[in-house]
Amino acid sequence: MRGRFGVLPLLLLALVSPFTAGNHFHHGTLSWELVSGTTVKFWLVSAWKIDFQPFLDQAGGNITVGQQLQVQGLNDPVLEFGDGADSFVIVRTTVVAVDTVMGMWRGEFTVEHTYAAAGVYVAEISGCCRDFVVSTRVDLTNSAALYSPKIAVLPRQVIAAPGNSSFFVAAYDGGLHPSQQGMAGRFQWELLSTMDATTDPPTASTAYSIDAATGLVTAEQRLAMASLSVKVTDTVTNVYSTVDFEVHQLNVSDVEVPAMDPSYPPTRLPLPATNELVASFPDSFRLRFTVPGSPPPSGSWDLQLLSSSLPAGAQLGPVVMAMYSGVPGYEANFSWTPSAEQQGWAVVCVQAVNVGVEPALSSPQYCLDFVVLPDSPPTLAASLPPHLAGLPAGVPLEWSMGQRLSIALLAADRRAVSMDIRADGPLPPGAMFTERVLEESSAELQVMRNLTWEPDAKAGGSSGSLCFVAHDGGAASAPLCFEFRVPKCMYKVRAGETLMDIAMKFGTSWLQLWALNKKTISRPEGHGLEGTVYEGFDLHVGQLVLVKEGDSLERIAARFGTTLRQIVNLNAEVTPSRQLLTGQLLCVVPSSCSERA
């Protein structure tokens, strides 16, 4: 170490030696979850000395991530299921991390075991040379006991005394977060043992205490090296898991260990805070560490970030040096998109290690407690034109051919990176959405779209539903629907239109239209030119005919001097193959000369 740390190497090497000489076990925790019936899946996380020769022999001289190594040592450590002397399994654990700085590798091992009968069992793995036992209580008689606590802790804790002399032993399980259950917490912590690792053999010590309600471990007295065993019990089901890990306590006031900066804006807070995530919603934040009095980024500090087991899909990026508010720091990006199946509870613990000095100095562990909430769907609201707003429930929206309908749609979501509004079902011919307008604020994301529709000359008599839904990529709003009806034989005149223009749309003559509207169009002069009708004028384009028993399209067409095609075009629900119903109203233009010619 350079500069002000020049006197530390021999001191710190002396402190490290009890953990590095003769002990190949560093850490272990065992938990379980119910698969079905009396079948249980166990999960063992453990850390071992990287240069223990039997492991190196299995790995071909170089331990790497992905290898499977058989746990070895005196007393032949095996996982015993607790239901008989012959009920055990040899542990072949998969290497998930190799830490050359701490001189250890971490492995994870899962196995399923079927018990012969429902009962209460204690599964465990134990071994030597540093005697250890990690166990978990399985209760198959309790229908509420679906899993045991999972303990998230790094193999070796580093604390400074006087200074930061406490840390959390974090735990979670496969169920909902206590906050989702209306509970302050459901676990109870117990310190089973503290062993002084500076003595040979290790001896019992009272140097540490633990808060039974929170799992906060505090150094009560100076002890350079210790191994701790902690039990975490689910107070609802009375099942438990245990963990064994090491603690390195520094007692040199000028040792500048890395520390997490919780004031950094794009970060998450460590315990006792709880951080909310949303299923299916990508979340990304930066963890920032600072070192008091550390040199600028060009100096000798070189930080790496260690973590406990990450949830499936979560990623922790490399550490990069960065300035914030003029202060040099070391940042790593954490990203995770929790799946719908990962709703509930998760905990990740991290530890920054400065590998730029010898021996390496690490921060205390910081644990992030997450509650993964279900992806709440966007809200969707609509604004209707004034003459359609406020209609009683069940009354369909009604507008005429030629009349432009515009429905303003607004979707909002507190947690979304993208969102859109779509039709939930087919739209009428000619209906279309405007382009999406996106507005984002710190509070929520908003999307606005308008649906416009102007029923054409063949839409008379059409009816149905206009349904819309908002999607945020994970969840969808409930459909927002409006019933609609387009009256027959009625056309809303648009700006600048004449009787001749409208007659062409309906395959008739301006004189015929005048004849159908004599009560409202008093002057036929102008031959239907501009000025005869005006914008918004309700124009009859046919007359309603009541279908009588025995009527057919052909008979009605002959009776009124029109054509089959003309009747079909004026009545959206009518097709040549569909039988007419007695009492049905048809729109008919009598003596449609232009069509008959």
Side-chain angles (χ1 to χ4, degrees), residues 89-216:
V89 65
I90 295 174
V91 175
R92 292 189 59 84
T93 185
T94 300
V95 180
V96 297
V98 178
D99 179 10
T100 56
V101 176
M102 292 289 189
M104 64 181 74
W105 60 270
R106 190 173 79 241
E108 296 185 7
F109 171 74
T110 59
V111 64
E112 291 187 5
H113 177 69
T114 300
Y115 290 92
V120 179
Y121 307 94
V122 176
E124 67 176 36
I125 182 171
S126 61
C128 177
C129 284
R130 175 167 78 76
D131 289 337
F132 71 91
V133 177
V134 290
S135 61
T136 185
R137 185 177 190 264
V138 180
D139 188 352
L140 299 178
T141 66
N142 186 345
S143 60
L146 303 177
Y147 28 69
S148 70
K150 294 180 178 180
I151 302 176
V153 68
L154 288 154
R156 182 178 300 169
Q157 308 301 311
V158 178
I159 59 176
N164 190 347
S165 58
S166 61
F167 58 91
F168 284 96
V169 173
Y172 63 105
D173 62 27
L176 296 177
H177 191 276
S179 63
Q180 295 175 291
Q181 305 176 61
M183 304 173 65
R186 62 179 294 155
F187 293 155
Q188 181 175 334
W189 282 259
E190 178 185 355
L191 182 59
L192 298 178
S193 67
T194 299
M195 302 301 294
D196 184 348
T198 64
T199 63
D200 189 13
T203 55
S205 170
T206 58
Y208 291 91
S209 64
I210 194 166
D211 188 308
T214 65
L216 182 67

Side-chain angles (χ1 to χ4, degrees), residues 30 155 238 241 447 490 502:
L30 182 64
N238 204 35
S241 298
V447 168
M490 186 62 65
I502 300 168

Side-chain angles (χ1 to χ4, degrees), residues 350-415:
V350 296
Q351 184 180 50
V353 182
N354 179 23
V355 298
V357 295
E358 179 62 38
L361 295 176
S362 73
S363 72
Q365 78 164 10
Y366 297 90
C367 295
L368 303 172
D369 183 77
F370 296 107
V371 51
V372 181
L373 302 172
D375 182 14
S376 55
T379 60
L380 181 61
S383 178
L384 296 170
H387 69 285
L388 295 176
L391 288 175
V395 176
L397 307 180
E398 186 174 290
W399 63 98
S400 302
M401 292 176 285
Q403 184 178 13
R404 181 178 293 271
L405 169 73
S406 181
I407 299 178
L409 299 163
L410 173 64
D413 198 334
R414 188 172 64 93
R415 294 271 192 175

Side-chain angles (χ1 to χ4, degrees), residues 427-433 451-454 466:
L427 292 175
M432 62 182 65
F433 281 111
L451 177 99
T452 59
W453 181 35
E454 184 178 302
L466 292 173

Side-chain angles (χ1 to χ4, degrees), residues 539-561:
L539 186 73
H540 295 280
V541 293
Q543 68 182 56
L544 292 175
V545 174
L546 185 67
V547 176
K548 300 177 181 178
E549 186 175 354
D551 273 345
S552 65
L553 288 176
E554 291 78 4
R555 288 182 179 179
I556 294 175
R559 186 188 312 158
F560 289 92

